[in-house]
Amino acid sequence: MIKPFSIDIPQSTLDELAAKLASTRLPAPLPGDDWNTGVPVSWLSSLVDYWRTSYDWRAAEKELNSYPQFTAEIEGQRIHFIHVRSAEPDALPLMLTHGWPGSIVEFLDLIGPLTDPVAFGGQASDAFHVVIPALPGFGFSGPTADDDWTFPRIGRVWAALMNELGYERYGVQGGDLGGSVSPEVGRAAPEHVVGVHTNGGTNLPPLQMSDEELQTLTPLEQDKMRRIGQFMKDEFGYISIQSTRPQTLGYGLVDSPVAQLAWIMDKFKAWTYPAETLPEAIISKDRLLTNVMMYWLTGTGGSAAYIGYAQPRDWTPRPNSGVPTAVLALAHDVAIRRYCETSNTITRWTEVDHGGHFAALEEPELLVSDVREFFRDLRG
């Protein structure tokens, strides 16, 4: 059953957060106090002070509540989602799925351009109804009620949600975890999904590649392989922890708002583009903190990490659903077309030399434009 939902955080919860922020015990800076060893104390302490003294959750809550929200229970799991119907009668339903360390907050600036394209310089024929669910274990879809939250299961649940909403034909879009979930919706309901759009790609290339195979890659693709190797060397630690010990990690994330903030900001610094630029120069502090609040207020730092733990350690290619699939590969992304094609029917591939991991936050106009163009010929 689908039920209306509104966010209403008790003032006592916000007061508790303010008290925790005021009594934070920061670690001593490591030599250099730079991003090489993690989030610098000098930088994070300033953001913590902004969070405590200037950030306005009530304004963010009001913005979130300006969009219709609902919950549904599917396979025993509560799913929280935003559902905004376009005024255009021929709008195509579109499901948008976030990743980690993101949330439904990623897509707020896309809702207007997608549902009301005319107001944003577009054509009425490009309108979408949008459905934006929080992944199981994330935000108000958390915590996880049981185990086995694999990408195929989430895809099946997403298809069930769209069916419950009464949508017979629809598209799906996502990045990061959403880029893995969205193709699974197409596999779960190929007769209903008209197209799959991802930013960042649907399959990673092989982590180990022979010299002969490397030589067949273009210079850009070889650079992507180099960056994958660098990632495995310098950044893989968070995956190792989340995919093996999410419960142990959860104690710090759920008890300390600064631990949760640092854990997420480490990735926003590394994954926004260009990487050497501070994240608040690309995404506003208020948006960054509202995203963090989706984890903190719901106590879901551990259950969100559990998504990684739930995935099988199996790199066997998934079956091809035959659903037309598009990839928007931004500068930060390491997707290589030939490896995405092993499991997907790629009909559109857009490669750009700018933009980071969080496409909806960093490059909203580009993402909207690419989504519009891809689905233009699939509306029927």
Side-chain angles (χ1 to χ4, degrees):
M1 177 182 293
I2 294 176
K3 299 178 180 179
F5 180 85
S6 182
I7 302 172
D8 185 15
I9 301 301
Q11 186 58 43
S12 59
T13 300
L14 301 182
D15 293 341
E16 179 187 21
L17 171 60
K20 281 181 172 287
L21 293 175
S23 61
T24 296
R25 185 173 70 164
L26 294 171
L30 295 177
D33 194 31
D34 58 28
W35 291 90
N36 291 327
T37 53
V39 181
V41 176
S42 57
W43 181 81
L44 193 72
S45 60
S46 176
L47 187 56
V48 169
D49 186 62
Y50 181 87
W51 194 2
R52 182 177 63 85
T53 64
S54 301
Y55 173 74
D56 185 354
W57 163 253
R58 292 303 185 198
E61 186 179 69
K62 182 178 180 180
E63 180 185 9
L64 285 160
N65 284 336
S66 70
Y67 301 109
Q69 297 172 70
F70 304 87
T71 60
E73 185 171 312
I74 303 175
E75 295 193 11
Q77 178 67 44
R78 181 177 68 173
I79 302 298
H80 168 237
F81 60 99
I82 293 173
H83 182 202
V84 183
R85 290 187 59 84
S86 173
E88 300 296 339
D90 296 326
L92 176 71
L94 179 66
M95 173 175 270
L96 304 165
T97 305
H98 65 86
W100 184 91
S103 67
I104 61 172
V105 172
E106 289 184 46
F107 298 114
L108 294 182
D109 292 334
L110 271 58
I111 294 174
L114 290 173
T115 59
D116 188 8
V118 174
F120 292 83
Q123 306 172 34
S125 57
D126 285 330
F128 296 90
H129 307 304
V130 297
V131 179
I132 307 173
L135 286 165
F138 285 69
F140 296 100
S141 288
T144 39
D146 58 9
D147 59 4
D148 194 36
W149 281 105
T150 61
F151 296 138
R153 183 184 179 189
I154 299 172
R156 185 174 71 243
V157 168
W158 272 198
L161 174 59
M162 295 300 275
N163 180 67
E164 198 163 337
L165 290 171
Y167 290 136
E168 286 292 320
R169 300 178 69 257
Y170 55 90
V172 291
Q173 198 285 328
D176 188 71
L177 298 178
S180 295
V181 169
S182 295
E184 294 297 343
V185 186
R187 295 183 181 105
E191 70 279 17
H192 298 295
V193 178
V194 301
V196 175
H197 185 286
T198 76
N199 52 277
T202 60
N203 300 59
L204 280 175
L207 300 181
Q208 299 294 326
M209 196 177 291
S210 68
D211 289 341
E212 291 76 14
E213 188 171 0
L214 275 171
Q215 291 303 312
T216 69
L217 302 182
T218 68
L220 175 60
E221 291 170 341
Q222 290 178 4
D223 180 66
K224 290 183 178 186
M225 291 303 301
R226 179 193 62 78
R227 288 191 284 124
I228 290 173
Q230 197 68 35
F231 173 87
M232 298 299 292
K233 177 183 175 183
D234 296 340
E235 288 192 61
F236 193 74
Y238 83 96
I239 295 179
S240 295
I241 295 172
Q242 294 199 159
S243 63
T244 59
R245 292 295 185 271
Q247 185 68 76
T248 303
L249 176 65
Y251 291 104
L253 300 183
V254 171
D255 185 61
S256 169
V258 173
Q260 181 70 85
L261 177 67
W263 192 244
I264 288 178
M265 287 302 103
D266 186 86
K267 295 307 156 204
F268 269 86
K269 170 60 170 64
W271 297 347
T272 47
Y273 182 87
E276 59 271 15
T277 302
L278 292 174
E280 70 268 27
I282 302 167
I283 304 167
S284 74
K285 287 182 181 179
D286 289 337
R287 260 302 182 255
L288 291 169
L289 289 170
T290 298
N291 180 68
V292 172
M293 289 289 268
M294 289 293 101
Y295 291 79
W296 173 255
L297 294 173
T298 58
T300 52
S303 60
Y306 179 76
I307 285 287
Y309 179 86
Q311 303 315 311
R313 312 300 189 260
D314 182 4
W315 295 94
T316 303
R318 297 287 296 149
N320 192 329
S321 67
V323 176
T325 300
V327 173
L328 172 61
L330 285 81
H332 175 273
D333 299 322
V334 293
I336 296 176
R337 180 166 184 163
R338 69 181 75 177
Y339 300 108
C340 290
E341 286 178 333
T342 60
S343 301
N344 305 276
T345 302
I346 305 295
T347 60
R348 179 182 175 87
W349 187 278
T350 308
E351 196 105 34
V352 297
D353 62 359
H354 54 91
H357 180 79
F358 305 96
L361 289 169
E362 298 180 64
E363 299 281 351
E365 292 181 2
L366 173 61
L367 181 56
V368 167
S369 174
D370 205 66
V371 166
R372 285 176 179 171
E373 291 183 24
F374 172 61
F375 284 105
R376 198 165 283 158
D377 296 330
L378 299 175
R379 290 174 175 266

